[in-house]
Amino acid sequence: MTFAHPLRFAVALAVAAILVILYGAVSRRKSAQDLAYSNLTFFAVSAKPGLWLPRLLQAGWVLGLVALAVALGGPRVMAPVPVRDGAVFICIDTSGSMAAQDVAPTRAAAALAAARAFIDESPRGTRIGLISFSSGASLIQRLTENHARAQASLAAIPPPNGATAIGDALRLAASALPPTGHRLVVLVTDGVNNMGVDPQQVAEWLGTQHIPVYTIGIGTSNGGLIPGSSDEATIDEGALESYAQVSGGAYARAENATELRDALARLGRITALEGKRVDATPSFTIAGVLLLIATFLTGLGIGKL
Amino acid sequence: MIARSSPAESIRRALLNGKRRPRTPGGSPTSRRGDGYEFVELREYVAGDDVRRIDWAASARTGELQSRVILEDVALTLAAILDDSPSMQVGRRRPLLDAGREALRTWYDAAASDDRCARIVGQEMHPKGSRRGAASAAAAIGASGPFDLPRSLHVARTALRPGAALLAVSDWFDLPGDADGLLHGLGRRCDCTMLLARDPWYDGLPLSGMVRMRGAEGGVLRGFIGAAERARFKAAVREREAALLARFTAAGWRTGLLHEADGAASLAAAFGVAFARAG
């Protein structure tokens, strides 16, 4: 935490400390008028008065004053703030293996549901685009702030068919993203790249452009047969982890529809935030005032002899 | 002689009756008997009199058993321990110590001209010497010094002669848990009476909510008092009082409660004497 006005903070802290000391002194003076009892030990053991509440109130006063002192200093803290001008491309694998039913109802349907969740969790203002890829990559939806339109465009994603050209999808996303700003790519796939450009190279390049690639591998550990063929759909997890790592993103494995939806929804929240130094004065002011009011009211309510 | 009120006379009578009554079956009222005691009078034998005191010649003359009364039988040693520590300075309307002093004055009021009065303060007895009657009572009342309950009880056991009457007034917070032997020893040796200062808040704490309690002997306690806390305190006070009274009764002490309002009446009540303050 840093302060815009360190001197003000120091003065306010000193004033708060003086107030606390004065409060202690007044409390001690008041003790002469308190109810006297022969043996405090017996009283404490027999009545078992709640000793934590006074300490809680004292803590409330002190914390409230400190919070106000901090607020006067103009605190600046690093906090995750929503990205207003973020741009995200979701690249969804539509290769033939996405028809496998090891993830109910099919990998493709689960991926679409998860994409919907991602769009739902993304904050307003985040621009979302959609790319589908199999033997090639197709731009389904350009970047748009209109999340309803993005949701609607999911219907245009073709059914599973063809090979897996991950590199092409990443390259298309890179070309469609704006040159600056908070940008990222979400890659949802179940397979191994077997067509087009080398995705590793594209991922590395994206990393140099500060565009992280978040990869999500779909499929159970047992894999699943591709309908209409005797081929088994497998995931090249090592490669997906590598794409994520070199670009500054992260990899997640989803073995069922729920995990996939959760993973993408989480991404929708995380990737739409960025760490920024923000002015925390209002937060500290409100917290301090609320603490002092709550402490005062609590003391007033239960403090009468 | 100090002017005596009716309760004081009753107390004296009760103490004298206690002296004539053997403390243990077959025992004598006091263990020191024999030469050196001043003869006072002859009176009819009463059950419990020491058979060695029977004047056989006088009995033969009168045809009834006659006992020799010696000064030791009609003179009392009235000793007292008064807790004047800060814990007795508390009370609802006035300090418990004021009531304790009233009890002490009434106690010494019971002294006649041949009686000795003593006050045990710390490890000393006041007055020193052989003053009797009013002089010793006045000196005993005026004695002062740091209070130490266990030490005072030890002094009483070692310094008081058998048959002496001892009054101890305290809140008994300082009574050690292992003092039963000491109490029993005192109860066998002397005619012991204890007054337990009744807790000012015996009927309930007048507190609720966030409270600050100041310890009479120091310290401050801040805490929250609700209905549960008040109930716990009330039960504990009553339990403590009953336990203390039972403990002293078992040790052969006469027991009573020191009420803040009237120390003299409290002492009289311990002796089963009705007391009405004049005016």
Side-chain angles (χ1 to χ4, degrees):
Chain A
M1 189 194 302
T2 57
F3 290 97
H5 312 287
L7 191 62
R8 269 197 224 168
F9 170 64
V11 171
L13 204 60
V15 170
I18 289 168
L19 285 175
V20 169
I21 291 167
L22 280 176
Y23 176 76
V26 170
S27 298
R28 275 191 293 278
R29 272 182 65 185
K30 194 186 163 198
S31 70
Q33 304 155 6
D34 292 337
L35 189 74
Y37 189 70
S38 305
N39 191 301
L40 273 192
T41 306
F42 174 74
F43 178 78
V45 170
S46 59
K48 297 186 181 69
L51 301 176
W52 56 271
L53 201 52
R55 292 189 181 121
L56 196 70
L57 288 182
Q58 283 173 346
W61 284 115
V62 172
L63 282 177
L65 287 174
V66 169
L68 287 182
V70 170
L72 281 170
R76 301 283 185 268
V77 295
M78 284 295 290
V81 294
V83 177
R84 293 290 173 197
D85 56 348
V88 183
F89 258 110
I90 310 172
C91 302
I92 298 179
D93 186 351
T94 56
S95 63
S97 60
M98 287 293 279
Q101 294 173 347
D102 58 334
V103 177
T106 63
R107 293 178 179 182
L112 287 179
R116 276 192 199 95
F118 179 89
I119 296 168
D120 283 343
E121 292 294 337
S122 297
R124 269 192 312 181
T126 302
R127 288 170 292 164
I128 298 174
L130 215 55
I131 290 171
S132 71
F133 65 94
S134 54
S135 300
S138 309
L139 186 63
I140 303 296
Q141 172 64 55
R142 292 181 180 282
L143 288 173
T144 175
E145 286 185 24
N146 188 335
H147 290 190
R149 183 184 296 168
Q151 291 274 18
S153 66
L154 286 169
I157 290 183
N161 188 28
T164 308
I166 295 174
D168 289 359
L170 293 179
R171 192 173 62 180
L172 178 57
S175 64
L177 281 167
T180 57
H182 185 73
R183 301 159 295 168
L184 61 97
V185 176
V186 177
L187 176 67
V188 184
T189 180
D190 71 338
V192 181
N193 185 69
N194 52 18
M195 186 167 276
V197 298
D198 181 7
Q200 183 70 24
Q201 286 182 359
V202 184
E204 285 173 5
W205 182 83
L206 286 168
T208 62
Q209 302 301 306
H210 305 291
I211 303 173
V213 178
Y214 292 86
T215 55
I216 296 175
I218 313 174
T220 61
S221 49
N222 296 331
L225 285 176
I226 300 170
S229 77
S230 58
D231 297 335
E232 192 161 329
T234 55
I235 307 173
D236 187 354
E237 280 199 287
L240 292 177
E241 280 179 16
S242 178
Y243 306 155
Q245 189 188 347
V246 297
S247 62
Y251 168 71
R253 170 83 180 267
E255 295 204 355
N256 56 53
T258 305
E259 282 183 14
L260 181 61
R261 191 176 60 247
D262 290 347
L264 266 174
R266 200 163 49 245
L267 265 183
R269 291 190 293 272
I270 295 171
T271 57
L273 299 172
E274 64 179 343
K276 269 191 176 175
R277 194 167 290 280
V278 297
D279 181 9
T281 302
S283 305
F284 276 95
T285 305
I286 291 168
V289 169
L290 286 181
L291 256 174
L292 291 180
I293 290 174
T295 306
F296 175 75
L297 290 178
T298 307
L300 196 70
I302 63 175
K304 84 181 164 185
L305 281 177
Chain B
M1 187 177 77
I2 295 172
R4 268 180 275 151
S5 61
S6 178
E9 285 173 357
S10 301
I11 289 168
R12 186 167 203 284
R13 207 161 33 247
L15 290 171
L16 282 172
N17 286 338
K19 282 171 76 71
R20 292 196 187 105
R21 198 177 305 117
R23 296 191 172 283
T24 52
S28 60
T30 59
S31 58
R32 290 179 65 182
R33 287 283 181 266
D35 294 341
Y37 288 93
E38 188 182 338
F39 173 77
V40 175
E41 62 178 1
L42 280 173
R43 61 163 171 77
E44 279 192 16
Y45 173 85
V46 294
D49 279 357
D50 188 344
V51 291
R52 291 174 295 178
R53 296 276 185 80
I54 296 174
D55 187 319
W56 295 108
S59 299
R61 280 197 303 275
T62 60
E64 298 284 342
L65 284 176
Q66 298 290 317
S67 288
R68 283 190 301 272
V69 177
I70 60 171
L71 184 59
E72 181 67 9
D73 286 339
V74 292
L76 293 168
T77 298
L78 297 167
I81 297 170
L82 174 63
D83 181 351
D84 55 2
S85 65
S87 69
M88 289 284 284
Q89 303 276 10
V90 302
R92 295 180 73 144
R93 291 188 174 81
R94 64 175 192 151
L96 284 164
L97 184 56
D98 288 358
R101 289 195 175 116
E102 285 174 2
L104 199 67
R105 276 193 288 275
T106 305
W107 178 250
Y108 290 133
D109 266 359
S113 58
D114 287 326
D115 295 340
R116 290 184 182 189
C117 298
R119 172 102 176 266
I120 301 170
V121 179
Q123 54 186 352
E124 292 190 349
M125 280 184 66
H126 301 272
K128 289 171 180 166
S130 57
R131 276 186 276 182
R132 289 178 179 273
S136 67
I141 288 173
S144 65
F147 180 73
D148 184 337
L149 178 63
R151 189 176 290 272
S152 296
L153 290 172
H154 276 290
V155 169
R157 189 172 65 172
T158 53
L160 289 179
R161 66 191 199 181
L166 171 67
L167 170 69
V169 184
S170 174
D171 52 25
W172 302 100
F173 276 115
D174 298 333
L175 183 68
D178 58 357
D180 283 349
L182 177 62
L183 298 179
H184 277 83
L186 269 168
R188 278 193 300 270
R189 186 179 175 85
C190 303
D191 185 344
C192 296
T193 304
M194 68 85 84
L195 286 183
L196 165 61
R198 169 155 276 184
D199 195 292
W201 311 114
Y202 179 84
D203 293 323
L205 277 172
L207 306 171
S208 67
M210 194 73 71
V211 302
R212 295 166 55 93
M213 294 283 282
R214 181 167 50 83
E217 313 250 3
V220 172
L221 183 146
R222 291 166 60 95
F224 179 76
I225 298 289
E229 287 77 10
R230 282 197 298 275
R232 276 200 295 268
F233 175 79
K234 193 172 175 179
V237 166
R238 282 156 196 260
E239 189 181 328
R240 175 180 178 271
E241 183 178 293
L244 268 172
L245 293 178
R247 196 174 164 195
F248 276 91
T249 301
W253 289 53
R254 186 183 291 105
T255 59
L257 292 168
L258 177 71
H259 294 278
E260 176 190 307
D262 196 329
S266 300
L267 180 63
F271 281 85
V273 176
F275 179 83
R277 190 176 284 280

